[in-house]
């Protein structure tokens, strides 16, 4: 008997929940939730301070656009699709609408809730500004734009050519940002008119592109990437099965790996430097540096807690970067190549430590630059230099030993 | 009588497998000399890959010894490993390296001088028609191209011993020809080659001797005459003799 596609969807959802449950437990037992709650408390203190007296020159519209554009435009889709589905499910392509509808609802509800939570936080500030939209208007607009984005994003997934997809996504984000800006500063009817026109344009534009009936490979690739991100996150707390990560070229960083000298004793440095830069590890570290840098600029210039808040944010992000970078030893542990290369094991460990140290020093200094930029002009020297000194002491003195022990424990468990 | 020289690969009375209680290989002995290509043949599950894993040091022998250029892995792990290059049945490449970077990594790991590396890699990339793919990542290569990269890496190292597991799967006709030409050439220059394959006509045409594995034991070994004799089929092709050996049970 044929199983209904909805039943398959449900079974896969349950399987994923069951598979990841233990990892969530490990995560909850680590220090991560505490750090997260601490950051939340610090952020809400800042938020309360801001609410007490919203400055007249507060950039209402800019903050709103920056806050809502990603919340509304980002349209992920969990489909649980896997490579064998091309063989086994593709013959039921005609029925896949039912399947995808479940995925759409699964992602749309939390997405809409997040947008509304964003509005709940933003509204008390917005009230003080010159904006003309009421809270219900904004809520309705956000929900409508969220749904329209999800619909257009689905059509984008169907597009046959990557370039078309990228252009469409860029356009969608830009139009969404513009519509949000209009809702925040203009009369609501003008904003609605623009949003409706933008939506109609988008719907028509996606029809022009060549599309698949059902984008199997696209969805499978997207699903794989999502799962990998989950595991990249979990790998900060516990060993995860495998981290097969396809490479992102990141050609703008290739000058770094080109500088590794051509010598037998640097072969592993050459390998691990590429691994760090081109896998998900580097991707997440780069994102953490960018997000951390923005957070430091925001909290540093407001002179919150006398500049110590920026210092705390710096250390929190440096810590998260350290955790992520610490997963580097896990990447090649199952590769046959390691046993085939005529290199001593000590070279591998030494190279791992060297790559980790270089990456951590670079990331910690890059993350420090915005702190220096905002704190030093205010003559907050201790707040600027203390966290950097702490981070470097940790990276150069404490971290290598810890990492070495971690690698040793790792190879013990493999040598049986 | 032939002059006794030290074989490049010397396997003596090897018994091995994943669990000491259930050996997969039973008392395997054979040698590969310099300038010789040996075909390792057998059905699926006969023990070809297990034999290769023991040579690589990925599995430990229960009994017997394996020597590469007279050394065991335990005695001198580094020079043992540097003495051979391995092409696995399923290509294993690093996702984060391009074709060219794989070659460079091999060059560094085997300690090939930078000049030699440049010359050899350029030649190999040309010979295996990979010019357009030199900057491509492993995930963007077809199965056959990945196999080419593995083969190019092995050839780049110019080791004393090549261990090649089922190299023709997925290779296009030009790739197969380039590989065979190169193998003949490195053999002429004195390299030893152990190649496992199911393409018996190619094995017959290119290998000097054959080792027939069946149920983890050596069913026959030697030149074509020896295999024919073991099968009791004078004048038969390798394929016919092999078929008889494995369908009528192993006999020494």
């Amino acid at each position: 008997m044929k199983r209904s596609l909805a039943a398959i969807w449900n079974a896969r959802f349950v399987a994923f929940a069951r598979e990841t449950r233990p990892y969530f437990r490990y995560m909850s037992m680590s220090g991560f939730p505490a750090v997260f709650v601490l950051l939340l408390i610090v952020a809400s203190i800042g938020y309360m301070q801001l609410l007490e007296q919203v400055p007249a020159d507060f950039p209402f519209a800019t903050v709103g656009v920056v806050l809502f554009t990603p919340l509304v435009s980002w349209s992920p889709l969990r489909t649980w699709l896997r490579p064998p589905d091309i063989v086994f499910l593709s013959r039921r392509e005609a029925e896949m609408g039912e399947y995808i509808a479940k995925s759409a609802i699964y992602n749309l509800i939390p997405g809409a809730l997040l947008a509304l939570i964003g509005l709940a936080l933003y509204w008390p500030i917005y009230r003080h500004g010159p904006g003309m939209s009421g809270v219900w208007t904004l809520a309705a607009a956000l929900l409508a734009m969220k749904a329209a984005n999800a619909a257009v994003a689905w059509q984008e997934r169907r597009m046959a050519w990557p370039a078309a997809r990228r252009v469409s996504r860029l356009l969608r984000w830009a139009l969404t940002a513009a519509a949000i800006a209009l809702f925040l500063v203009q009369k609501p009817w003008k904003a609605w008119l623009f949003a409706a026109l933008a939506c109609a344009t988008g719907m028509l534009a996606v029809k022009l592109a060549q599309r698949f009936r059902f984008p199997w490979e696209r969805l499978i690739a997207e699903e794989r990437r999502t799962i990998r991100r989950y595991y990249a996150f979990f790998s900060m707390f516990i060993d995860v099965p495998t981290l097969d990560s396809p490479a992102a070229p990141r050609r703008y960083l290739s000058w770094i790996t080109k500088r590794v000298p051509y010598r037998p004793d640097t072969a592993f440095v050459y390998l691990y430097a590429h691994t760090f830069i081109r896998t998900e590890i580097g991707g997440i570290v780069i994102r953490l540096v960018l997000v951390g840098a923005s957070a430091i600029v925001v909290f540093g210039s407001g002179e919150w807690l006398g500049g110590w808040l920026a210092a705390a944010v710096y250390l929190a992000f440096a810590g998260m970067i350290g955790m992520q970078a610490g997963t580097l030893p896990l990447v090649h542990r199952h590769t046959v190549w390691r046993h085939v290369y005529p290199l001593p094991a000590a070279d591998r460990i030494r190279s791992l430590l060297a790559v980790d140290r270089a990456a951590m020093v670079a990331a910690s200094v890059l993350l420090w630059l915005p702190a220096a930029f905002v704190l030093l002009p205010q003559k907050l020297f201790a707040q600027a230099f203390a966290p950097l000194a702490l981070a470097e002491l940790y990276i150069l003195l404490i971290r290598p030993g810890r990492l070495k022990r971690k690698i040793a424990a790792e190879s013990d468990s493999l040598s049986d | 009588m032939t002059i006794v020289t030290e074989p490049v690969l010397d396997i003596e009375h090897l018994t091995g497998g994943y669990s000491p209680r259930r050996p997969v290989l039973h008392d395997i002995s054979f040698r590969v000399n310099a300038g010789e290509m040996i075909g390792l043949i057998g059905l699926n599950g006969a023990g070809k890959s297990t034999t290769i894993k023991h040579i690589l040091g990925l599995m430990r022998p229960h009994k017997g010894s394996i020597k590469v250029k007279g050394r065991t892995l335990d005695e001198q792990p580094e020079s043992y490993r540097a003495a051979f290059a391995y092409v696995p049945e399923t290509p294993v490449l690093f996702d984060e390296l391009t074709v060219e970077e794989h070659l460079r990594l091999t060059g560094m790991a085997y300690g090939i001088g930078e000049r030699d590396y440049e010359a050899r890699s350029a030649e190999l990339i040309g010979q295996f028609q990979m010019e357009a793919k030199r900057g491509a990542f492993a995930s963007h290569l077809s199965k056959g191209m990945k196999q080419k990269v593995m083969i190019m890496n092995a050839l780049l190292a110019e080791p004393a011993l090549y261990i090649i597991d089922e190299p023709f799967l997925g290779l296009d006709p030009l790739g197969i020809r380039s590989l065979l030409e190169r193998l003949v050439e490195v053999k002429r220059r004195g390299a030893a080659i152990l190649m496992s394959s199911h393409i018996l006509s190619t094995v017959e045409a290119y290998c000097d001797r054959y080792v027939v594995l069946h149920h983890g034991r050596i069913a026959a070994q030697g030149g074509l005459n020896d295999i024919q004799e073991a099968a009791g089929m004078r004048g038969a092709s390798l394929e016919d003799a092999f078929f008889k050996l494995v369908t009528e049970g192993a006999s020494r």
Side-chain angles (χ1 to χ4, degrees), chain A residues 304-335:
Chain A
W304 283 340
L305 304 180
W308 287 107
L309 182 56
V313 171
Y314 174 87
L315 286 176
F317 273 89
M320 283 192 273
I321 290 169
M323 280 170 92
Q324 188 59 45
T327 59
L328 185 64
L330 306 180
V331 180
H332 292 306
R333 57 189 172 149
H334 297 308
T335 311

Side-chain angles (χ1 to χ4, degrees), chain B residues 33-44:
Chain B
N33 298 309
E36 209 180 22
M37 191 181 323
I38 303 295
L40 185 62
I41 56 182
L43 301 176
N44 295 330

Side-chain angles (χ1 to χ4, degrees), chain B residues 163-179:
Chain B
I163 301 167
I164 306 182
D165 196 357
E166 201 59 71
F168 306 116
L169 282 179
L171 277 192
D172 60 27
L174 280 181
I176 292 178
R177 179 186 278 197
S178 305
L179 171 62

Side-chain angles (χ1 to χ4, degrees), chain A residues 38 110 149 163 175 178 264 270 272 306 340 411 414:
Chain A
L38 196 74
N149 264 287
L175 285 176
Y270 186 73
Y272 279 111
V340 177
S411 28
L414 279 178

Side-chain angles (χ1 to χ4, degrees), chain A residues 16-352:
Chain A
F16 178 77
R18 195 169 295 152
E19 185 189 324
T20 46
R21 195 180 305 142
Y23 297 114
F24 278 111
R25 210 170 48 229
Y26 285 117
M27 189 264 288
S28 64
M29 287 188 301
S30 72
F32 184 78
V35 173
F36 188 74
V37 168
L38 196 74
L39 278 179
L40 213 64
I41 292 172
V42 170
S44 35
I45 293 173
Y47 179 73
M48 293 301 182
Q49 275 186 1
L50 179 71
L51 271 193
E52 270 171 27
Q53 40 182 334
V54 181
D57 59 349
F58 188 83
F60 295 97
T62 313
V63 170
V65 169
V66 169
L67 171 68
F68 290 122
T69 304
L71 283 179
V72 170
S73 304
W74 189 50
S75 310
L77 193 67
R78 285 311 298 272
T79 57
W80 329 109
L81 289 178
R82 296 172 301 208
D85 291 334
I86 292 184
V87 179
F88 297 104
L89 277 190
S90 63
R91 67 188 71 167
R92 298 174 72 181
E93 191 177 281
E95 308 164 52
M96 284 302 282
E98 165 194 19
Y99 187 97
I100 284 301
K102 284 191 79 99
S103 292
I105 292 168
Y106 173 81
N107 282 105
L108 208 48
I109 291 176
L113 275 177
L114 265 180
L116 291 180
I117 291 173
L119 179 61
L121 289 172
Y122 178 68
W123 175 253
I125 303 171
Y126 179 76
R127 259 181 339 134
H128 296 280
M132 288 174 251
S133 292
V135 67
W136 297 114
T137 308
L138 284 182
L142 287 176
L143 291 180
M145 285 191 287
K146 181 85 205 158
N149 264 287
V152 175
W154 167 247
Q155 298 302 332
E156 275 165 16
R157 288 184 172 91
R158 288 180 54 197
M159 288 180 184
W161 312 118
R165 205 171 56 236
R166 265 179 241 131
V167 170
S168 170
R169 189 165 53 205
L170 194 70
L171 212 66
R172 174 163 64 82
W173 280 63
L175 285 176
T176 305
I180 289 169
L182 285 179
F183 273 110
L184 296 179
V185 298
Q186 281 292 338
K187 292 208 171 73
W189 71 266
K190 286 187 186 165
W192 280 115
L193 188 67
F194 176 83
L197 282 175
C199 183
T201 315
M203 293 288 191
L204 281 176
V206 292
K207 291 240 155 61
L208 293 177
Q210 249 188 55
R211 288 168 301 163
F212 295 109
R213 268 172 57 97
F214 193 86
W216 290 99
E217 295 211 296
R218 174 93 228 115
L219 295 177
I220 287 167
E222 195 176 330
E223 182 65 22
R224 187 179 287 160
R225 201 179 55 217
T226 310
I227 290 180
R228 219 176 34 244
R229 290 206 176 133
Y230 269 97
Y231 279 102
F233 173 69
F234 293 138
S235 70
M236 299 195 289
F237 313 105
I238 184 84
D239 270 9
V240 294
T242 40
L243 278 173
D244 70 320
S245 37
R250 306 214 169 89
R251 298 204 195 280
Y252 55 95
L253 292 178
S254 62
W255 57 273
I256 300 174
T257 46
K258 286 218 177 81
R259 292 189 49 195
V260 177
Y262 180 93
R263 286 201 315 261
D265 61 326
T266 52
F268 270 121
V269 174
Y270 186 73
L271 173 62
Y272 279 111
H274 279 105
T275 306
F276 190 94
I277 287 175
R278 290 182 181 164
T279 58
E280 200 77 339
I281 299 176
I284 293 177
V285 166
I286 291 168
R287 269 171 248 152
L288 281 173
V289 168
L290 290 176
V291 174
S294 335
I296 289 168
V297 169
V298 168
F299 291 116
S301 54
E303 244 200 87
W304 283 340
L305 304 180
W308 287 107
L309 182 56
V313 171
Y314 174 87
L315 286 176
F317 273 89
M320 283 192 273
I321 290 169
M323 280 170 92
Q324 188 59 45
T327 59
L328 185 64
L330 306 180
V331 180
H332 292 306
R333 57 189 172 149
H334 297 308
T335 311
V336 186
W337 274 61
R338 227 181 70 195
H339 299 276
V340 177
Y341 269 121
L343 285 170
D347 251 10
R348 187 175 88 87
I349 296 171
R350 194 178 46 71
S351 308
L352 260 173

Side-chain angles (χ1 to χ4, degrees), chain B residues 178-209:
Chain B
S178 305
L179 171 62
L180 289 169
E181 279 171 2
R182 278 306 283 247
L183 288 181
V184 168
E185 191 187 316
V186 296
K187 193 181 88 165
R188 209 189 56 235
R189 283 196 253 151
I193 301 163
L194 176 67
M195 179 170 78
S196 127
S197 174
H198 292 302
I199 319 285
L200 295 185
S201 54
T202 309
V203 172
E204 181 175 345
Y206 283 87
C207 292
D208 306 299
R209 289 190 292 121

